[in-house]
Amino acid sequence: MLKHSDIISLIDSMVLALRKRDGIEDSLIIGIHSGGAWIAERLHHLLENPHSIGMLDISFYRDDFTQIGLNPQVKSSDLPESIEGQNIILVDDVLHTGRTIRAAMNELFDYGRPNSICLAVLLDREGRQLPIQADICGMNIHLAPHQQVKLSYVDNEFELKNISTKPSDT
Amino acid sequence: MNSPTANKHLETTADGQLKHFLSTSNHSRENLTRILELADSFISFGKREIKKVPLLRGKTVVNLFFEPSTRTRTTFEIAAKRLSADVINLNASRMSTTKGESILDTVYTLEAMHVDLFVVRDGASGTAELIARHLPDDVRVINAGDGRHAHPTQAMLDMFTIRHYKGAFENLKIAIVGDILHSRVARSQIHALRILGVKDIRVIGPKTLIPTKIESMGVVPYYDMDKGLDGVDAILMLRLQHERMEGQQIPSQQEYFYRFGLTSRRVALAASDAIVMHPGPINRGLEISSRVADGPQSVILPQVTNGIAVRMAIMSLLMGGQNSMGGKK
């Protein structure tokens, strides 16, 4: 549904919006595995951020793991720099129910107390189940409740795929 | 082998997922592999400053130990606490059972307090299974050692350690050394190795400590340690309960060490990169020399570390972490 060039220009627009924020030069960029990782890397590169990039795998922090199960290969979170007192840009691909972001913030607070967290997402879709909003968003999209999209990055090409199940399957 | 007839239907759900973990023998290769893979994910958490994850928050785990144990109980307790569960340790041999209450009455009483997971150790074979059969459908049981029958979490941490150092199981040569006859660890190791695809499994020990017809388990007995160790990739030592057997099954400690003690000379008969394992506690100078136990090929302490990650994996899988979506959302 979205091609590589579309996604690149969406990320460029996110960079423009991020640059307008105070203290952006000194923020820590942290991506959420796996969809947020590539976007975070690109933002990190385009913003010429001086800090090491961080990655979170929030699988062990999900509140719904008994419903969706545990991914057998959870990546370890990697936060190379202390987040204590830092301004953080938290990056994910799609903001939907808000549960991933809730879990990510819980995990972040296990590492320290950040000064602020700014949420940057590529796509914002409706269906929020928690009071969580994006501060920076590439694009708002409308999807039916049963539809799922997933960002992949293969051969240096971004691709946003529709991996929806039919309504009858859900 | 006088093992109780635990059945597959007790240990797995109708769609093949882990329900109780009472043995290694009643589980599929897929489920055992899943435990090893998830344990890999937990390894890195042990190195974090904050070692806890909120996965089992609000769940209650009871360590019900009818047989004394420090090491196993401690690793189960740490594993449950790192998953944020509430843990209660009951050393039941000193409690109600001495007042004449049956094991099941003790369990029913605890169940009435809404326990979610029992970790059970007993000197009698089949206790964990007995408890699993009498609990409501949503309560889980892990066997932390029952008599001579099984010690499946020890076997899984051994499998994890082997996989970590040696990779794929198919072409490995593995030797298990010591008191095979009385060892629940050996039994669980043999089943797990077979299920995971190891073809060359050797058991080494004196004739008095190796069951007759052990070949039916798919292993080859060796009564000469030097021959048995030839070219193996991992040496799995067992603890010799010498206090119980001297003069009966073994002639003397010195004689035993001479014939079946793991020395540097004997380690050199195995593959040059072979690993040496032991479930602990070790009897230095009886089944293993200090030089080997503390030597470069020994992975005895990493085994302990791995035991926590493996038990975290088993607990979180039993407590709901194995929906068919496999965490994809």
Side-chain angles (χ1 to χ4, degrees), chain A residues 1-168:
Chain A
M1 38 188 293
L2 277 181
K3 290 192 175 56
H4 180 70
S5 54
D6 303 328
I7 292 165
I8 291 296
S9 51
L10 286 180
I11 294 177
D12 288 343
S13 71
M14 291 168 74
V15 168
L16 286 177
L18 280 165
R19 282 218 170 98
K20 289 179 190 152
R21 294 180 69 91
D22 288 340
I24 189 71
E25 306 79 19
D26 202 37
S27 297
L28 279 183
I29 297 176
I30 295 174
I32 299 175
H33 185 79
S34 59
W38 303 299
I39 301 169
E41 274 166 10
R42 187 149 181 96
L43 290 176
H44 184 262
H45 171 71
L46 293 173
L47 289 167
E48 296 171 337
N49 186 276
H51 295 286
S52 302
I53 191 168
M55 289 295 163
L56 282 181
D57 188 320
I58 51 91
S59 302
F60 293 137
Y61 286 77
R62 292 200 77 99
D63 57 15
D64 50 2
F65 90 97
T66 57
Q67 286 141 46
I68 65 166
L70 275 174
N71 186 334
Q73 275 147 343
V74 179
K75 297 268 187 300
S76 66
S77 294
D78 181 20
L79 300 179
E81 296 186 27
S82 168
I83 65 162
E84 189 71 32
Q86 296 287 340
N87 295 316
I88 287 171
I89 302 169
L90 184 62
V91 184
D92 203 3
D93 54 352
V94 184
L95 176 60
H96 182 204
T97 62
R99 285 178 193 275
T100 300
I101 305 304
R102 200 261 339 158
M105 289 198 287
N106 275 32
E107 179 161 11
L108 279 178
F109 276 82
D110 276 355
Y111 284 90
R113 180 190 179 278
N115 185 52
S116 69
I117 300 176
C118 157
L119 177 60
V121 299
L122 187 73
L123 301 177
D124 187 343
R125 62 176 288 190
E126 62 264 61
R128 211 80 76 243
Q129 292 164 358
L130 297 171
I132 285 172
Q133 282 81 35
D135 300 292
I136 304 288
C137 149
M139 186 173 119
N140 287 290
I141 54 165
H142 175 80
L143 293 168
H146 66 272
Q147 282 185 299
Q148 295 282 346
V149 287
K150 182 161 178 60
L151 183 76
S152 62
Y153 187 63
V154 183
D155 298 332
N156 297 318
E157 291 271 314
F158 282 111
E159 193 184 16
L160 193 74
K161 274 192 209 148
N162 200 330
I163 53 162
S164 345
T165 46
K166 290 182 204 123
S168 57

